[in-house]
Amino acid sequence: MAERLNTAGKALKEHGVKLLYHNHNCELQKVSTNKTAYDVIIENTDGEYVNFELDTYWMTDGGADVYPIIEKLGSRLKYWHINDRGNTQKGPYMTPILKEKATELGKGNMNLKCLSEVIKEKGVMAVILETHMNWIDNDPVKSIEVSSEFMNKYF
């Protein structure tokens, strides 16, 4: 895959287009004792042709500590794909186990305040907000308004 990304990135660069790789959680599969598929992609792609749009939601979902990933990407981290995740149900629960889901920025359990500081230090070009269909009152505009408060405060 890294070889294909390099080839595609080189071809795109000739036309003034930059290739950014967007992750999900599957890249955290181990390919050896100390290495994930994401490590292989980072290490075997050329920064001249392939850079990254890091989705910290999916990395967190996969159980990764995102800070070392951010450090490893360094200047190749161009976009931050931001989303929050958490248990948003209310009421006393014993069972079943609550599942996390995407939620508005600052309302979940990801430490987005700290992440935003680290991301800003890396000089990312853009922050991309994602919202899902579990909107406040089933209204995507309300959800965006809440998330935009976070964006305006921290960016």
Side-chain angles (χ1 to χ4, degrees):
M1 180 176 183
E3 187 177 311
R4 291 189 344 239
L5 287 169
N6 282 326
T7 300
K10 185 176 182 181
L12 289 168
K13 183 177 180 180
E14 292 172 6
H15 298 282
V17 178
K18 296 178 181 177
L19 177 64
L20 298 179
Y21 184 83
H22 176 275
N23 65 279
H24 289 90
N25 59 7
C26 58
E27 290 88 349
L28 293 174
Q29 292 180 38
K30 294 280 188 178
V31 295
S32 68
T33 305
N34 298 320
K35 198 169 283 215
T36 66
Y38 201 59
D39 293 325
V40 171
I41 292 168
I42 295 168
E43 293 166 9
N44 292 285
T45 52
D46 186 331
E48 185 176 344
Y49 305 124
V50 181
N51 286 290
F52 295 85
E53 175 190 336
L54 179 63
D55 189 326
T56 52
Y57 176 95
W58 282 116
M59 286 298 181
T60 301
D61 182 75
D65 178 356
V66 296
Y67 296 99
I69 294 169
I70 291 167
E71 289 304 315
K72 186 168 190 169
L73 290 172
S75 64
R76 295 180 70 190
L77 173 56
K78 302 299 183 187
Y79 288 7
W80 180 25
H81 193 107
I82 190 173
N83 203 339
D84 207 346
R85 55 185 280 119
N87 296 320
T88 58
Q89 296 176 355
K90 293 181 175 46
Y93 286 90
M94 295 291 281
T95 57
I97 293 172
L98 296 176
K99 295 189 180 198
E100 291 191 41
K101 59 183 179 179
T103 190
E104 291 72 29
L105 301 182
K107 302 300 181 189
N109 58 17
M110 291 183 68
N111 190 349
L112 296 180
K113 293 174 191 173
C114 186
L115 273 173
S116 66
E117 290 302 316
V118 172
I119 292 291
K120 284 190 284 190
E121 289 172 8
K122 296 300 174 194
V124 297
M125 298 167 57
V127 178
I128 301 168
L129 171 63
E130 181 176 358
T131 183
H132 289 268
M133 296 184 70
N134 55 316
W135 302 304
I136 298 170
D137 299 332
N138 227 13
D139 184 347
V141 174
K142 286 183 181 179
S143 286
I144 290 293
E145 288 172 345
V146 169
S147 288
S148 70
E149 290 174 18
F150 180 92
M151 296 285 282
N152 288 331
K153 185 173 182 179
Y154 293 99
F155 289 100

